[in-house]
Amino acid sequence: MEMTFAEKILTKYSGEKNLTPNQIVNVSPDHLLTHDNTAAIIQKIQNELEKYGIYSNIMPIIVLDHVIPAATEKTALNHKKIREFVNKFKIKNFFDVGEGICHQIVIEKGFALPSKLILGSDSHTCSYGAVGTFSTGIDRTEAASLLLTGETWLKVPNSIKINLKNQLQKGIYAKDLILKIIGDISASGANYCSVEFHGDVNKLTVEDRFTITNMGVEMGAKNSVFPVDDVTINYLNSIGISKSFYNSIYPDNNAHYIKEYDYDLSLIEPMIACPHSVDNVKPVDEIEGLEIQQCFIGTCTNGRISDLNIAAKILKGKKISKNIRLIILPASKDIYEKALNLGIIQTLLKSGAIILPPGCGPCLGAHQGALAPGEKCISTANRNFKGRMGCKDAEIYLASPATVAISAIHGRITNPKEAL
Amino acid sequence: MKVWKYGDNINTDMLFPGKYTYTCSTAKEIIPHLLEDLDSSFSINVKKGDIIIAGKNFGCGSSREQPVLGLKAVGIRAIIAESFARIFYRSSINQGLMLIESPDAVREYSDNDYIELNINKGIIKINRKEYLFPKIPKEINEIQNSGGLLEYTRLKLKKKNK
Ligand code: SF4
């Protein structure tokens, strides 16, 4: 039987044969990711933890990133409880406040590898398909159960194939492509499905792929994945993981897909998701000139070195509009350091930017850079839901780092094409 | 019993704002903020046994489970939608909150219509028309019958450690 990527991975992890979509299988993931929500997760199972301990101290990956440094006594107490839990059960993979955003850490530290299975108590766990991992989000209760038992159930998904051809033009980025796709497919268009990218993917770096797979959940996907190729292999080499550490699994040529889409990358324009839904996507040109008050470059979608570099190129020797706050957030400490060494941070600071510590920052509206009623923010994040940045009467627009940076100079939404 | 009707793509931020996710985790803390940015009358007026009817992709967005915990705690009998987002769907299984996928029933229902739910038989009755909805798969039913995922896990651990 010809199989999709998801069918092959789930065959491997369930030990069952001839899987068909909608079948339910039992799996033990290689890793379980949790973050600040670990406090709430362990709270649910205190008695069981006392009695039985945890299933494994290597499986969990815990990263403190959502509200860091702690904003209130309550969030500080959560962090404290998590550190105590980590020490008590000798959890090996713990990253304290300031290391970076959980999804960046999982990839950067080499936990995400081709054809591994990772579950995480965060919806953007789907990001690791960038390096060929099968990864998807679960909730806190399921994470609690996994901590104790190391296993859970998954439904074999249907698969969607997206064929890419040609190359993105100068000034057009992975973010524009994924926004275009989500606008076409809709916020529920890939519900429960595994999304596979095929075709001319070799011009997309691992960072580009990360931006694309990260937003898989914004079209409802269970997971989203790129094939492992030289780009992946070179990236993994660069973080010290040689080919002998992993196997790659590829879908069969005649596997069954419920839908196929074709995209000519050379035709993609700068795109922007307008309030209050990620699939409300328009070409930037359509709303050019709209006044904004805050610009935000960061998050697990677009807080990497290439993103900061694009922003620095645009902002070099320029000043942001006096009506704007420009917030920059490197997605990890490593990225922050690199950006410092390359002079990117200095350029951004000189232009008038505020640099926040590596973490989620204003993305979820819990602290740092919340919006006021009536304000508009253009952001490189993955969600523009009503209230997402702390205020239900504010508006969030999602775009590429280039669009956000050029918009910061003008104080208005601006097409970046001319600037590059 | 009241029916609360909402549209497509009701996301987790509308159901429970992200700014509270690291400060509220118990039912008591969650309930006052339920649907805060979508319908401020909800948490004040919702009663045990009420039903929610909504469009496509209900519960999309974050993996946060407070919406499910909260809706279960206030006694929502079932959510009938055209479709659900997958993490929300799993979360509802884990907490024993009843979800029914029935695009036909959603399209048929208008305000103040008569509605009756027979969960055991898998039937929604709207005015005089009946709509069947599929039974839950047996593996998942086991979780729900145990009283949710945590209870199910506790039973499993007990068996294993006997
Ligand atoms: S950066 Fe935003 S989307 Fe990414 S993990 Fe943090 S809160 Fe979630």
Side-chain angles (χ1 to χ4, degrees):
Chain A
M1 204 177 78
E2 304 271 296
M3 289 195 284
T4 61
F5 173 77
E7 287 161 1
K8 283 198 176 176
I9 291 278
L10 293 177
T11 298
K12 174 181 157 193
Y13 279 85
S14 69
E16 294 194 34
K17 294 216 169 65
N18 302 321
L19 294 184
T20 50
N22 297 325
Q23 191 176 334
I24 288 170
V25 294
N26 255 321
V27 294
S28 299
D30 295 292
H31 287 292
L32 165 71
L33 170 77
T34 61
H35 44 67
D36 299 37
N37 57 18
T38 314
I41 291 167
I42 53 183
Q43 179 83 29
K44 293 172 186 288
I45 47 169
Q46 269 174 342
N47 292 340
E48 289 70 25
L49 284 171
E50 287 299 327
K51 213 159 151 192
Y52 308 110
I54 55 171
Y55 169 79
S56 147
N57 67 345
I58 306 165
M59 183 188 70
I61 303 169
I62 302 175
V63 186
L64 299 187
D65 61 351
H66 272 59
V67 184
I68 61 99
T72 57
E73 184 180 332
K74 182 130 191 194
T75 46
L77 182 61
N78 282 346
H79 292 169
K80 184 174 172 214
K81 283 182 188 160
I82 296 168
R83 290 184 194 106
E84 285 165 2
F85 168 72
V86 163
N87 287 334
K88 182 162 179 196
F89 292 100
K90 303 192 167 52
I91 289 176
K92 290 271 186 295
N93 308 312
F94 173 61
F95 300 87
D96 211 324
V97 165
E99 288 291 331
I101 304 172
C102 58
H103 305 303
Q104 181 63 29
I105 294 292
V106 168
I107 292 200
E108 198 175 274
K109 303 289 179 199
F111 295 110
L113 291 176
S115 71
K116 294 265 180 202
L117 173 64
I118 300 184
L119 299 179
S121 180
D122 188 278
S123 60
H124 295 104
T125 301
C126 60
S127 303
Y128 323 141
V131 290
T133 309
F134 184 99
S135 56
T136 189
I138 54 170
D139 75 358
R140 293 175 176 184
T141 299
E142 201 169 346
S145 173
L146 267 158
L147 272 179
L148 294 168
T149 67
E151 60 176 21
T152 192
W153 61 277
L154 287 179
K155 205 192 233 180
V156 180
N158 279 305
S159 296
I160 291 177
K161 188 178 196 175
I162 300 183
N163 299 303
L164 305 178
K165 78 166 194 233
N166 296 328
Q167 201 176 327
L168 292 168
Q169 286 177 52
K170 198 165 169 239
I172 316 291
Y173 300 93
K175 184 62 162 285
D176 299 304
L177 170 62
I178 188 61
L179 286 176
K180 169 77 181 145
I181 294 174
I182 294 169
D184 292 349
I185 294 183
S186 92
S188 59
N191 256 2
Y192 304 110
C193 292
S194 169
V195 173
E196 292 180 13
F197 288 88
H198 288 247
D200 295 345
V201 297
N202 61 327
K203 292 289 180 332
L204 297 170
T205 64
V206 164
E207 299 202 351
D208 294 335
R209 296 174 190 192
F210 198 156
T211 300
I212 294 169
T213 50
N214 175 269
M215 292 192 73
V217 66
E218 308 313 330
M219 47 180 165
K222 177 173 207 151
N223 72 301
S224 177
V225 68
F226 276 83
V228 175
D229 59 4
D230 284 347
V231 176
T232 330
I233 294 167
N234 291 338
Y235 172 79
L236 291 173
N237 262 330
S238 79
I239 57 167
I241 299 170
S242 79
K243 251 182 109 172
S244 57
F245 278 98
Y246 54 88
N247 293 308
S248 306
I249 285 180
Y250 299 93
D252 293 319
N253 285 335
N254 292 315
H256 176 70
Y257 296 92
I258 55 162
K259 275 184 218 147
E260 283 199 36
Y261 298 89
D262 296 309
Y263 282 90
D264 184 338
L265 301 188
S266 67
L267 301 177
I268 304 291
E269 287 290 306
M271 304 301 284
I272 189 160
C274 299
H276 295 286
S277 114
V278 186
D279 60 0
N280 185 15
V281 176
K282 297 177 180 157
V284 170
D285 282 342
E286 265 184 42
I287 59 158
E288 194 159 41
L290 188 80
E291 237 177 80
I292 45 182
Q293 288 74 39
Q294 184 162 299
C295 298
F296 174 35
I297 299 175
T299 79
C300 54
T301 319
N302 280 117
R304 280 172 282 279
I305 197 75
S306 56
D307 302 314
L308 303 185
N309 194 29
I310 292 162
K313 264 194 188 150
I314 293 175
L315 289 160
K316 189 159 186 135
K318 306 232 165 59
K319 286 265 182 267
I320 61 169
S321 154
K322 65 176 191 326
N323 304 319
I324 291 286
R325 288 104 54 189
L326 169 61
I327 296 176
I328 307 266
L329 202 151
S332 73
K333 198 188 221 169
D334 272 18
I335 294 169
Y336 199 165
E337 227 184 315
K338 257 185 219 153
L340 269 173
N341 291 338
L342 293 169
I344 292 173
I345 297 290
Q346 293 84 332
T347 302
L348 295 171
L349 275 173
K350 271 194 190 130
S351 77
I354 306 157
I355 318 284
L356 291 185
C360 298
C363 181
L364 72 160
H367 67 154
Q368 297 175 336
L371 299 174
E375 285 192 324
K376 295 184 174 65
C377 174
I378 182 169
S379 154
T380 63
N382 45 35
R383 276 191 187 131
N384 59 352
F385 298 161
K386 202 176 200 170
R388 175 80 182 177
M389 291 179 81
C391 170
K392 73 173 182 341
D393 300 313
E395 291 186 351
I396 306 166
Y397 295 78
L398 307 176
S400 77
T403 307
V404 175
I406 189 82
S407 301
I409 296 173
H410 296 284
R412 296 169 182 277
I413 291 178
T414 308
N415 189 323
K417 249 179 132 180
E418 307 310 318
L420 290 147
Chain B
M1 179 204 67
K2 182 173 160 60
V3 173
W4 301 83
K5 197 152 189 269
Y6 302 109
D8 290 340
N9 296 320
I10 301 299
N11 62 56
T12 46
D13 278 280
M14 289 165 156
L15 296 172
F16 184 82
K19 60 186 167 201
Y20 307 125
T21 42
Y22 300 101
T23 45
C24 302
S25 52
T26 63
K28 204 174 137 211
E29 292 164 332
I30 295 167
I31 292 170
H33 303 298
L34 264 184
L35 278 62
E36 184 171 286
D37 289 348
L38 173 69
D39 177 352
S40 51
S41 72
F42 181 86
S43 71
I44 304 163
N45 297 322
V46 67
K47 294 222 163 59
K48 191 163 180 268
D50 285 359
I51 290 175
I52 294 176
I53 296 186
K56 283 189 214 122
N57 207 21
F58 189 91
C60 60
S62 299
S63 71
R64 86 184 51 133
E65 69 181 7
Q66 285 95 333
V68 178
L69 286 171
L71 292 170
K72 174 82 185 167
V74 295
I76 287 294
R77 178 143 180 255
I79 305 173
I80 306 169
E82 287 185 52
S83 64
F84 294 95
R86 65 166 281 282
I87 302 180
F88 187 86
Y89 185 86
R90 287 181 87 86
S91 234
S92 298
I93 292 166
N94 296 342
Q95 306 302 340
L97 174 67
M98 185 71 197
L99 301 188
I100 300 171
E101 224 174 71
S102 178
D104 293 339
V106 171
R107 276 180 224 125
E108 176 68 24
Y109 182 84
S110 348
D111 287 345
N112 302 320
D113 278 355
Y114 172 82
I115 181 163
E116 191 187 302
L117 209 57
N118 187 328
I119 288 172
N120 290 334
K121 287 195 180 142
I123 299 172
I124 309 168
K125 196 167 167 189
I126 294 175
N127 300 327
R128 296 219 178 94
K129 263 195 191 162
E130 288 192 343
Y131 300 86
L132 299 181
F133 58 87
K135 290 252 165 64
I136 301 165
K138 78 170 189 314
E139 296 88 339
I140 291 173
N141 214 355
E142 230 178 289
I143 297 175
Q144 294 212 314
N145 286 342
S146 314
L149 182 66
L150 281 185
E151 277 310 314
Y152 177 78
T153 304
R154 282 184 191 119
L155 291 175
K156 210 155 94 178
L157 284 169
K158 255 190 211 151
K159 253 194 228 156
K160 215 176 95 189
N161 288 284
K162 236 199 225 146

